[in-house]
Amino acid sequence: MIRHVEDYSESWKQLSWKKFRRDLFRLQNRVFKAVRAGNKRKARFLQKLILKSSSARFLAIRQVTQLNAGKKTAGIDNKKSLDFSQRFELETQLKNNGENWKHSKLRSIPIPKKDGSTRMLKIPTIADRCWQCLAKYALEPAHEATFHAKSYGFRTGRSAHDAQQNLFLNLSSVANGKDKRVIELDIESCFDRISHSTIMDNLIAPKGIKIGIFRCLKAGTNPEFPEQGTPQGGCISPLLANIALNGIESIHKYHRSGHRITNKTPESSIAYPSARYADDMVIVLKPQDDAKEILGRIDEFLAARGMKVSAKKTKITAATDGFDFLGWHFKVLSNGKFNCTPSVDNFKKFRQKVKAIVNCSNYGSKVKAEKLAPIIRGWRNYHKFCDMSGARFSLWFLNHRAYTVFNKETKNTKYTSENLVKKAFPTVHTSQNSYVMVKGNKSPFDGDITYWSERNSKLYDGATSKVLKRQNHSCGQCGTKFTSDERVHLHHIDGNHNNWKDKNLQAIHESCHDYLHMGKRTTN
């Protein structure tokens, strides 16, 4: 009997997603604890269980086909999406071949860089991305137990804001930031030069996952460097880069009390004045620190991993002169006060995006307002812990230009330019240096559900923040705590998006939101 699309859709919706999350987290928590305790043999056994777990397989397929930003990006097989029956077929394929996965070739997409050159984004097929996600579920908790506290990029539970706050703590007036310098470290073609042997030697994984990762690396190899590089485009690449670079944060350190560091010095007495976000890194130097000696040790560290420092882009800068990092401009002012603002390049790109939409003649002002709102809200949210008091960050001119254009376009329509501008330029409150940095080596895999659910809730403000507190930081649909990196959506219970009464709002997982509205779609 042939099943209809609606049958597969309903079957997918009715899967026990709450149980899947709980089962996967339980295994990941055990992997994390095993590695922290030094028992890698037990960790590898548990990783095999994750690879064989139906919960992990279904969650991996859902992550790639429903939740990831690039879910509609095709690989070399030109498949842009999977219908519900194909998702169930892929789950069976992962079950049968998960421990002996063979990667297809990658689709190459040229991406322009700031300096005019291009880098190649190499996209795996949807099936390969699902296997990578499944492997990541097993690898991530093991390596989270070993990663350095000053590494913030592409790690669950950490963000660029943690790196921003770390620099504030190292360069504030209390820390005598006025007298310090920084090394703006740039690694030349990091993802293209990472040694495969370094990744494989440091990988905490059973044989089946190691074989799959090795094939993944070889699928995206540059013929000129057959033993190097991790393809950018798959969900596993940032994790592999973090594995290869882990430890670079420890190269420069000092005793908090000024004493000499010995093998017996407790970890709590050692300071690591650095912030790394993937391959971008800033190292803070005291006046007496030897920058050349530190760079020499970094060169040795990278050379052993097939990489090297970019001589053109790596700079040693006085904190009072200011430097750019992660889209922000950091500077210690003449009075010793630390200051952080959006960087010139970041603001320029943002302004270009807004202008392109406002001046576009392909659609009307209502559509423009809908397209502008998430861009402007996202930009302001990213910079919400900056000093936004400067005139050029007020968005007044962009706002005024939008009003002028909308005023011409809304004549003889039911929409007013004032209301559309308010919708297009939502208000986001900013407060410099108020972000609360993640505690030490804490990880979402450590089992402290209360800490992580409350922390993740603090990432949201406005109505979403109020609803999260009312729901005790739990999803209004599945009831589980918001401990993962999955986005929180605000659901209007009666379907009326203009009804913002407290009783009509519910904070739920992005995936739960999808399932609520799945009846209105044939596919996701």
Side-chain angles (χ1 to χ4, degrees), residues 27 75 143 332 408 480 484 496:
L27 285 172
H143 288 280
V332 177
K408 292 178 181 178
T480 57
S484 69
N496 180 9

Side-chain angles (χ1 to χ4, degrees), residues 17-255:
W17 296 107
K18 180 178 178 179
K19 180 179 180 296
F20 291 168
R21 280 198 193 99
R22 188 170 59 243
D23 291 348
L24 176 59
F25 180 77
R26 189 184 297 118
L27 285 172
Q28 289 179 317
N29 176 235
R30 292 175 66 191
V31 170
F32 179 87
K33 288 181 176 178
V35 176
R36 275 277 168 96
N39 192 345
K40 292 185 179 179
R41 183 178 180 181
K42 181 180 179 181
R44 285 191 286 268
F45 169 75
L46 292 167
Q47 287 174 312
K48 286 183 182 179
L49 294 184
I50 291 176
L51 202 62
K52 295 176 181 178
S53 164
S54 61
S55 298
R57 290 195 297 272
F58 278 115
L59 286 170
I61 293 169
R62 184 185 68 171
Q63 183 67 40
V64 171
T65 60
Q66 282 182 236
L67 304 179
N68 282 354
K71 60 187 175 184
K72 297 294 184 183
T73 307
I76 199 168
D77 59 357
N78 290 322
K79 281 188 179 180
K80 290 187 176 182
S81 62
L82 301 181
D83 62 32
F84 294 104
S85 64
Q86 290 171 326
R87 293 181 194 181
F88 283 106
E89 289 171 8
L90 179 54
E91 191 274 332
T92 303
Q93 189 181 348
L94 289 170
K95 178 181 179 180
N96 295 335
N97 305 314
E99 292 188 272
N100 188 28
W101 191 261
K102 295 181 180 178
H103 272 260
S104 304
K105 292 182 179 180
L106 308 180
R107 176 183 168 219
S108 297
I109 301 175
I111 304 294
K113 296 172 72 173
K114 283 195 297 185
D115 60 4
S117 61
T118 59
R119 67 180 177 89
M120 298 305 294
L121 192 64
K122 297 185 177 181
I123 309 296
T125 63
I126 292 176
D128 286 340
R129 297 204 296 271
C130 288
W131 183 88
Q132 286 185 23
C133 187
L134 179 60
K136 184 183 175 186
Y137 287 155
L139 291 172
E140 197 167 35
H143 288 280
E144 276 292 324
T146 67
F147 282 160
H148 199 280
K150 302 302 181 183
S151 165
Y152 303 108
F154 302 108
R155 290 182 61 188
T156 183
R158 282 169 160 75
S159 70
H161 290 126
D162 289 292
Q164 180 191 40
Q165 187 67 12
N166 180 37
L167 288 176
F168 164 68
L169 296 176
N170 276 290
L171 294 173
S172 64
S173 56
V174 176
N176 297 317
K178 190 176 178 180
D179 301 326
K180 294 181 177 179
R181 297 165 295 154
V182 299
I183 298 175
E184 300 175 63
L185 184 69
D186 185 89
I187 302 172
E188 189 173 306
S189 303
C190 174
F191 282 85
D192 295 330
R193 296 291 180 270
I194 295 174
S195 165
H196 291 173
S197 59
T198 295
I199 294 173
M200 300 309 298
D201 291 345
N202 288 283
L203 210 59
I204 304 171
K207 184 179 178 181
I209 293 179
K210 280 198 168 187
I211 289 172
I213 294 296
F214 185 75
R215 288 171 177 167
C216 167
L217 293 172
K218 293 303 178 184
T221 296
N222 183 336
E224 296 179 28
F225 306 97
E227 304 299 324
Q228 291 176 278
T230 174
Q232 298 181 63
C235 58
I236 200 76
S237 299
L239 175 61
L240 298 181
N242 274 334
I243 291 171
L245 290 171
N246 188 42
I248 195 172
E249 306 88 354
S250 301
I251 288 176
H252 177 48
K253 56 189 176 183
Y254 60 82
H255 199 293

Side-chain angles (χ1 to χ4, degrees), residues 41 124 205 294 321 333 384 414 433 456:
R41 183 178 180 181
I294 292 168
D321 289 338
L333 306 178
K384 68 189 296 183
K414 62 180 179 178
N433 305 326
N456 288 351

Side-chain angles (χ1 to χ4, degrees), residues 424-443:
F425 289 80
T427 302
V428 175
H429 299 289
T430 61
S431 180
Q432 185 173 204
N433 305 326
S434 62
Y435 181 81
V436 179
M437 198 165 69
V438 64
K439 287 183 181 177
N441 273 314
K442 284 201 68 66
S443 167

Side-chain angles (χ1 to χ4, degrees), residues 336-514:
K337 184 181 178 182
F338 175 86
N339 190 253
C340 175
T341 60
S343 69
V344 173
D345 285 345
N346 182 275
F347 185 64
K348 184 179 178 181
K349 286 181 181 178
F350 164 71
R351 197 170 62 238
Q352 287 172 343
K353 284 183 183 179
V354 173
K355 283 184 175 180
I357 294 173
V358 172
N359 296 330
C360 182
S361 58
N362 293 336
Y363 35 75
S365 52
K366 182 177 181 291
V367 176
K368 290 179 182 180
E370 291 172 350
K371 288 179 175 290
L372 284 171
I375 293 173
I376 291 164
R377 185 184 293 110
W379 187 80
R380 292 305 295 260
N381 272 325
Y382 186 75
H383 297 297
K384 68 189 296 183
F385 303 109
C386 287
D387 177 10
M388 301 294 283
S389 60
R392 72 189 180 98
F393 303 124
S394 69
L395 306 186
W396 187 90
F397 289 104
L398 292 176
N399 190 307
H400 183 68
R401 170 63 182 165
Y403 176 83
T404 303
V405 173
F406 289 2
N407 204 35
K408 292 178 181 178
E409 294 179 351
T410 53
K411 288 180 178 178
N412 302 320
T413 70
K414 62 180 179 178
Y415 303 105
T416 65
S417 55
E418 291 89 347
N419 289 338
L420 287 174
V421 167
K422 285 180 181 178
K423 183 177 181 180
F425 289 80
T427 302
V428 175
H429 299 289
T430 61
S431 180
Q432 185 173 204
N433 305 326
S434 62
Y435 181 81
V436 179
M437 198 165 69
V438 64
K439 287 183 181 177
N441 273 314
K442 284 201 68 66
S443 167
F445 302 111
D446 62 14
D448 192 347
I449 294 174
T450 301
Y451 172 82
W452 286 105
S453 61
E454 290 182 0
R455 178 174 177 79
N456 288 351
S457 296
K458 289 176 183 176
L459 301 177
Y460 300 88
D461 53 17
T464 307
S465 176
K466 291 179 182 177
V467 177
L468 284 168
K469 289 177 183 176
R470 190 184 75 219
Q471 295 176 191
N472 195 25
H473 316 289
S474 301
C475 176
Q477 283 296 306
C478 68
T480 57
K481 295 282 189 179
F482 290 108
T483 55
S484 69
D485 282 345
E486 188 176 338
R487 289 187 292 268
V488 174
H489 280 197
L490 202 58
H491 172 60
H492 293 73
I493 297 171
D494 67 357
N496 180 9
H497 285 212
N498 293 318
N499 181 0
W500 287 84
K501 292 182 180 178
D502 287 347
K503 291 182 180 179
N504 190 49
L505 301 177
Q506 193 178 55
I508 60 179
H509 289 105
E510 180 184 4
S511 54
C512 292
H513 205 191
D514 267 354

